């Protein structure tokens, strides 16, 4: 089935490098990132998993957990983790799903539903299993990104989007193009001018009535 922003993230129970995990239970009342890989011991993915390991503390500050997935067994993941730490300088301290049967890849519409799992598959066979899903505390999908195999994903961008989405959840603001933490934000159209005056007594800048810019709350 197709997964869209706003859908409930499909729940599953899977074997990981940290034991058997139920996805929704593991998320709890926080945020989560699920990011997938087409094969173990692949070069681009090795750099990505290591970089995410280095960002783990930043995501923890935002009450966001990380879970990886690769289309190989957990035993292979455990060996791959050693390579990742050696070459990237960060130990993988988050669970990695063993999805050699393609169960989660199919559940999240990352691969053809008739694809068959097993050891004979190559990274090219699984090339579409290169997605990032951000899931909110309500278990709904908030972000979907899918990259080609040859392009390393920008996880600083995922962190930036997470900051933006958490601002929206807390303060009813949106973020403009190329926004960075600390920049001005946009009062969303759902907030009337009357309600905005209560929230922002110092006012806002409005080059157009529908474009109301205000300093980032909390900064």
């Amino acid at each position: 089935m197709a997964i869209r922003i706003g859908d409930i993230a499909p729940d599953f129970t899977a074997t990981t490098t940290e034991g058997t995990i139920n996805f929704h239970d593991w998320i709890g009342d926080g945020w989560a990132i699920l990011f997938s890989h087409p094969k173990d011991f692949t070069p681009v993915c090795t750099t990505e998993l290591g970089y995410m390991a280095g960002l783990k503390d930043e995501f923890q500050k935002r009450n966001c957990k990380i879970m990886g997935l690769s289309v190989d067994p957990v035993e292979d993941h455990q060996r791959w983790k050693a390579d990742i730490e050696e070459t990237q300088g960060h130990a993988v301290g988050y669970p990695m799903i063993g999805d050699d049967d393609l169960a989660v890849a199919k559940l999240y519409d990352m691969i053809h539903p008739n694809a068959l799992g097993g050891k004979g598959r190559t990274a090219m066979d699984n090339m579409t299993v290169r997605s990032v899903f951000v899931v909110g505390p309500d278990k709904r999908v908030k972000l979907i990104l899918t990259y080609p195999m040859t392009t390393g994903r920008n996880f600083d961008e995922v962190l930036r989007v997470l900051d933006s989405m958490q601002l929206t959840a807390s303060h009813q603001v949106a973020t403009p193009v190329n926004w960075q933490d600390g920049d001005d934000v946009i009062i969303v159209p759902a907030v009337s001018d009357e309600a905005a005056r209560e929230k922002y007594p110092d006012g806002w800048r409005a080059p157009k009535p529908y474009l109301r810019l205000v300093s980032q709350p909390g900064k």
Side-chain angles (χ1 to χ4, degrees):
M1 68 177 185
I3 306 293
R4 298 179 177 85
I5 289 175
D7 289 347
I8 295 290
D11 196 15
F12 58 85
T13 298
T15 303
T16 80
T17 52
E18 297 184 5
T20 300
I21 289 177
N22 174 267
F23 189 51
H24 281 194
D25 289 346
W26 175 81
I27 293 172
D29 60 359
W31 296 68
I33 292 172
L34 173 66
F35 70 117
S36 64
H37 307 269
K39 195 75 179 165
D40 289 11
F41 305 103
T42 48
V44 174
C45 296
T46 297
T47 65
E48 292 176 335
L49 287 156
Y51 194 80
M52 279 295 269
L55 285 178
K56 184 181 176 184
D57 288 348
E58 288 298 320
F59 284 106
Q60 283 183 331
K61 289 177 189 176
R62 294 157 173 84
N63 194 26
C64 183
K65 295 179 178 179
I66 301 168
M67 183 180 287
L69 174 150
S70 184
V71 183
D72 270 316
V74 166
E75 312 86 76
D76 290 357
H77 294 359
Q78 298 289 11
R79 294 188 294 112
W80 191 20
K81 283 170 64 175
D83 286 3
I84 293 165
E85 182 175 8
E86 177 187 344
T87 62
Q88 306 305 308
H90 297 287
V92 175
Y94 50 82
M96 296 167 60
I97 297 168
D99 197 37
D100 52 317
D101 62 357
L102 303 174
V104 181
K106 291 180 181 181
L107 185 64
Y108 274 72
D109 194 36
M110 293 185 281
I111 201 163
H112 194 281
N114 294 332
L116 298 177
K119 272 285 189 181
R121 296 189 67 84
T122 67
M124 187 60 70
D125 294 326
N126 308 327
M127 63 185 298
T128 56
V129 188
R130 286 275 295 157
S131 295
V132 181
F133 298 89
V134 177
V135 181
D138 58 1
K139 309 302 185 292
R140 293 189 180 276
V141 175
K142 307 297 183 181
L143 170 74
I144 304 170
L145 294 170
T146 301
Y147 279 62
M149 283 199 306
T150 51
T151 302
R153 286 169 277 194
N154 185 339
F155 290 111
D156 292 332
E157 168 66 1
V158 176
L159 197 64
R160 186 189 77 92
V161 176
L162 180 61
D163 283 340
S164 171
M165 293 188 296
Q166 291 187 342
L167 271 176
T168 299
S170 299
H171 299 287
Q172 292 183 292
V173 294
T175 53
V177 61
N178 295 332
W179 173 85
Q180 297 292 330
D181 187 33
D183 291 349
D184 286 353
V185 297
I186 296 168
I187 303 169
V188 298
V191 176
S192 68
D193 283 352
E194 181 180 3
R197 278 189 284 271
E198 292 182 14
K199 291 173 67 74
Y200 306 106
D202 293 334
W204 55 85
R205 180 169 58 88
K208 293 290 181 182
Y210 59 84
L211 181 57
R212 297 170 296 172
L213 297 160
V214 68
S215 296
Q216 179 178 325
K219 290 293 183 179

